[in-house]
Amino acid sequence: MDEEYDVIVLGTGLTECILSGLLSREGKKVLHMDRNDYYGGESASLNLTQLYRKFRPGQEPPAELGRDRDYNIDLIPKFIIASGELTKILVHTDVTRYMEFKQIAGSYVFRDGKISKVPSTEMEAVKSPLMGLFEKRRAKNFFSFLQTWKDDDPSTHQGIDLDKDSMKTVYEKFGLESGTQDFIGHAMALYLDDDYITKPARAAYERIVLYTQSMARYGKSPYIYPLYGLGELPQSFARLSAIYGGTYMLDKPIHEIVTSDDGKFVGVRSGEETVKAKQVIGDPSYFGAGAEGGKVRVVEEGKVVRAICVLKHPIPGTDDADSCQIIIPQKQVNRKNDIYVAAVSHTHNVAAKGIWIAIVSTIVETSVPERELQPGLQLLGAIHDKFVSISSLYTPTADGKSDNIFITRSYDATSHFETVVEDVQDVWQRVTGQPFSELNLKKTDVENMQE
């Protein structure tokens, strides 16, 4: 390990693997290391034995759940928005050749004690049980406004300036009720809270249009998901990195981040060996997350609670769907943060036949985190088994430009990848000094992504 690299990447989570794949592709000499003997870090997919080893050491998985190899259970549940940023990266890098994708069967929102499909077009709005007759007409006008908007044609603006007027102003113009605003803001624009309402409407407009375009692509829902679980994503980006000369070392403990007298990054020490590089990128666990003493490079912003639930039936009220997403907007259950349910099954090659895996997650707000998941758990019907985890959300204290140490963020509670890609874009810009947009992600068609 005596040669010098441009970049050392620590941890094989999705964020780190995308960055190492893209950096290798751009001609950088990359060394990628992980203390674990498997890919994926926090965003790995585990078989049954690995799942039990992690959550119930010493306990064997019950034989009734079937073969070990039939399972690929995600530790962090997320779906891919069909027209979103991760899709563009997958297509741009040709990582799609290593993977197959399947559509998620439905996108639902919780309102007034029950779940309903999220309407995304004028026609669906008219049929939706989420709204009364007059509200349907108002929602139809709202969607029509979004679908016909053209920046360069003021006649489509109806007196609204997306860059100046707040989303609150737009909602009020169309007279939308707060319950309708709830599902538009949280189940379509996918905001985590209601802060967006007071900000200029442009960002919300773009998010809603992204949702409707993704929905139009495949029809049933705007989400797709890789066969054999999300652990396939980091592995595929790792392959990309290797094709372009990246070096991988798994099962390699990291003992020290070596810095010079003035605090700049020099290299990484593993045992007696030190490998040098100009820059280092890594997940918070390699930079003192949760440890006492030493330099504080990351701070805890909060915690996420997740429950991996094994079901022997589809989720009630979803038309026996093989998969779905359910969003419970915060206001519906008197919370500050939404609750997310992501469910997949044997048709995605992640469980044995007749088994569904549903993962409920949210940001922790109280001293009894598991109880906070109750509104989501209640929607699942009979739960055969449940594995609960609480993870800290870490964020870096510095941007890395002064010491060449670039730290990624922890994975949040959302059930999609847009926030992960925002972090990739942010780190990329800081590491390379180039805007991510200059990568020129091809907006090619991704119809071939689905099997």
Side-chain angles (χ1 to χ4, degrees):
M1 287 187 11
D2 53 356
E3 54 188 317
E4 188 162 335
Y5 291 85
D6 291 321
V7 185
I8 293 173
V9 181
L10 302 177
T12 52
L14 179 60
T15 312
E16 293 75 38
C17 286
I18 294 176
L19 284 161
S20 95
L22 292 173
L23 287 163
S24 301
R25 203 167 175 269
E26 294 288 303
K28 299 280 188 198
K29 190 174 179 187
V30 177
L31 172 64
H32 204 143
M33 304 163 79
D34 195 312
R35 65 168 79 85
N36 298 314
D37 60 359
Y38 56 84
Y39 285 99
E42 289 287 304
S43 53
S45 301
L46 306 183
N47 62 31
L48 268 187
T49 301
Q50 291 168 326
L51 185 75
Y52 272 77
R53 196 182 298 148
K54 181 176 175 64
F55 288 95
R56 298 187 191 147
Q59 192 178 328
E60 289 294 309
E64 61 169 310
L65 288 178
R67 297 179 306 187
D68 206 34
R69 67 166 188 261
D70 288 338
Y71 287 84
N72 295 287
I73 298 172
D74 302 326
L75 291 177
I76 293 179
K78 287 187 185 289
F79 294 151
I80 300 167
I81 297 177
S83 296
E85 291 298 316
L86 180 56
T87 304
K88 289 179 195 165
I89 295 174
L90 287 165
V91 172
H92 169 72
T93 53
D94 215 15
V95 163
T96 46
R97 67 186 146 166
Y98 306 126
M99 307 172 73
E100 284 184 74
F101 295 83
K102 192 171 171 62
Q103 188 187 4
I104 294 300
S107 172
Y108 296 82
V109 66
F110 179 85
R111 174 136 176 229
D112 301 333
K114 59 181 188 292
I115 61 170
S116 303
K117 207 163 184 315
V118 178
S120 64
T121 63
E122 292 172 59
M123 288 306 297
E124 286 189 0
V126 171
K127 294 179 191 164
S128 174
L130 287 167
M131 297 169 286
L133 187 62
F134 295 110
E135 183 68 358
K136 283 178 180 174
R137 191 173 301 160
R138 293 189 285 266
K140 182 173 180 287
N141 291 338
F142 172 77
F143 285 127
S144 171
F145 162 71
L146 294 182
Q147 283 157 358
T148 56
W149 174 280
K150 291 187 178 67
D151 274 348
D152 52 4
D153 182 358
S155 70
T156 65
H157 297 182
Q158 298 192 32
I160 287 171
D161 183 336
L162 289 180
D163 298 309
K164 288 193 180 143
D165 293 329
S166 69
M167 200 60 200
K168 185 172 190 287
T169 307
V170 178
Y171 284 148
E172 284 171 356
K173 178 175 175 62
F174 291 95
L176 297 179
E177 297 166 356
S178 69
T180 307
Q181 294 178 26
D182 249 5
F183 83 71
I184 290 171
H186 294 261
M188 295 180 74
L190 302 171
Y191 281 108
L192 315 186
D193 52 42
D194 277 343
D195 291 354
Y196 79 96
I197 287 183
T198 56
K199 294 175 180 164
R202 169 77 62 184
Y205 159 77
E206 286 174 350
R207 282 173 168 234
I208 298 164
V209 168
L210 169 63
Y211 186 97
T212 54
Q213 284 174 345
S214 301
M215 190 77 185
R217 173 157 270 147
Y218 298 135
K220 288 183 191 168
S221 90
Y223 303 107
I224 52 177
Y225 179 87
L227 292 183
Y228 302 101
L230 296 176
E232 292 294 293
L233 282 165
Q235 289 192 59
S236 298
F237 279 102
R239 280 186 205 155
L240 175 76
S241 178
I243 285 171
Y244 287 96
T247 304
Y248 272 76
M249 292 182 182
L250 294 181
D251 205 10
K252 197 79 179 163
I254 308 301
H255 294 109
E256 186 187 358
I257 306 296
V258 184
T259 54
S260 60
D261 293 340
D262 59 357
K264 281 190 164 38
F265 174 71
V266 172
V268 170
R269 181 174 70 79
S270 176
E272 299 297 306
E273 303 173 295
T274 298
V275 60
K276 293 182 175 178
K278 299 181 185 77
Q279 297 171 306
V280 66
I281 299 170
D283 76 51
S285 69
Y286 290 89
F287 298 96
E292 295 296 318
K295 183 171 167 56
V296 177
R297 290 198 171 101
V298 292
V299 290
E300 183 179 299
E301 271 194 336
K303 292 182 189 298
V304 180
V305 57
R306 299 182 178 96
I308 298 171
C309 301
V310 178
L311 313 178
K312 291 192 167 183
H313 54 82
I315 293 179
T318 61
D319 295 329
D320 293 344
D322 62 21
S323 52
C324 69
Q325 173 184 264
I326 305 168
I327 292 180
I328 304 175
Q330 72 216 58
K331 279 186 186 161
Q332 293 291 320
V333 283
N334 296 319
R335 288 176 52 79
K336 296 191 193 76
N337 296 277
D338 295 354
I339 300 171
Y340 297 86
V341 180
V344 284
S345 67
H346 60 276
T347 59
H348 304 85
N349 301 354
V350 298
K353 198 158 180 53
I355 301 285
W356 276 253
I357 305 293
I359 306 183
V360 186
S361 41
T362 191
I363 303 283
V364 174
E365 296 177 11
T366 70
S367 57
V368 277
E370 192 177 339
R371 196 183 297 165
E372 297 181 47
L373 296 175
Q374 210 50 43
L377 295 171
Q378 283 171 349
L379 299 175
L380 303 183
I383 297 172
H384 181 71
D385 208 346
K386 183 173 66 174
F387 304 85
V388 179
S389 66
I390 296 165
S391 315
S392 295
L393 285 173
Y394 290 106
T395 187
T397 55
D399 63 13
K401 289 175 185 171
S402 61
D403 56 10
N404 290 320
I405 295 172
F406 302 91
I407 305 171
T408 59
R409 293 169 162 277
S410 305
Y411 300 101
D412 63 18
T414 59
S415 53
H416 56 81
F417 278 109
E418 297 304 281
T419 48
V420 174
V421 177
E422 282 169 19
D423 193 31
V424 167
Q425 292 169 336
D426 180 42
V427 175
W428 173 270
Q429 188 151 344
R430 286 185 276 134
V431 168
T432 64
Q434 303 294 320
F436 194 79
S437 55
E438 287 185 13
L439 254 179
N440 187 25
L441 294 184
K442 295 180 292 198
K443 286 192 177 178
T444 41
D445 195 17
V446 290
E447 294 300 329
N448 59 351
M449 280 182 63
Q450 199 186 227
E451 57 154 6

